[in-house]
Amino acid sequence: PEAPAAKPTPPPVPAAPAKPTPPPVPAAPAAKPTPPSVPAAPASAKQSLTIIMKKASGSLGVDLHDVAGRVQVRRLKDMPEGVPHPAKTAEPPLLVGDQVVSVNGNTYTGFKDCVMKIRASTETVTLVVERDS
């Protein structure tokens, strides 16, 4: 008896073409250390001051003006020779740029009202002002 015929082996399956290897992915940059946080200063840091002034010759020796509905010291006037300047001798002194918040404990409704309250004061005027710090 004859040995059974061997089955023919199928031809080899060609290998799939090799896929090109993608270039290596660059490593992510090292994270920079976060600096310690510093609290941000308020946009406009202001301090509130109470200034008691004595009028000289019926005046505080300042020019005031309206800035967006607030009364602000525009300039210090010249005083007669020998007359102490009320704004300069007040403690703390009144400065150009100070914004008046109240006059003698009373708020005001506008520039004219503020000026009227100052003029109506007798010898001493108490101003609360805001000052950029």
Side-chain angles (χ1 to χ4, degrees):
E2 242 180 77
K7 291 184 180 179
T9 21
V13 178
K19 291 183 181 176
T21 9
V25 177
K32 293 182 182 176
T34 306
S37 63
V38 177
S44 59
K46 293 191 180 280
Q47 61 184 144
S48 182
L49 302 167
T50 300
I51 300 175
I52 301 171
M53 301 174 63
K54 285 188 166 263
K55 287 184 173 180
S57 304
S59 170
L60 294 181
V62 296
D63 273 341
L64 303 172
H65 66 134
D66 186 301
V67 177
R70 302 286 304 265
V71 176
Q72 188 175 52
V73 178
R74 180 187 310 201
R75 75 177 183 97
L76 303 182
K77 295 179 181 178
D78 292 331
M79 297 300 290
E81 192 172 327
V83 175
H85 199 289
K88 293 178 181 178
T89 58
E91 197 52 49
L94 188 64
L95 302 177
V96 171
D98 286 350
Q99 290 188 341
V100 180
V101 175
S102 68
V103 179
N104 296 327
N106 300 301
T107 57
Y108 56 87
T109 57
F111 179 80
K112 287 182 180 180
D113 185 42
C114 180
V115 172
M116 286 175 40
K117 287 180 182 336
I118 292 170
R119 287 183 178 159
S121 302
T122 54
E123 190 176 311
T124 303
V125 180
T126 302
L127 299 178
V128 173
V129 300
E130 284 186 346
R131 179 176 294 166
D132 291 331
S133 44

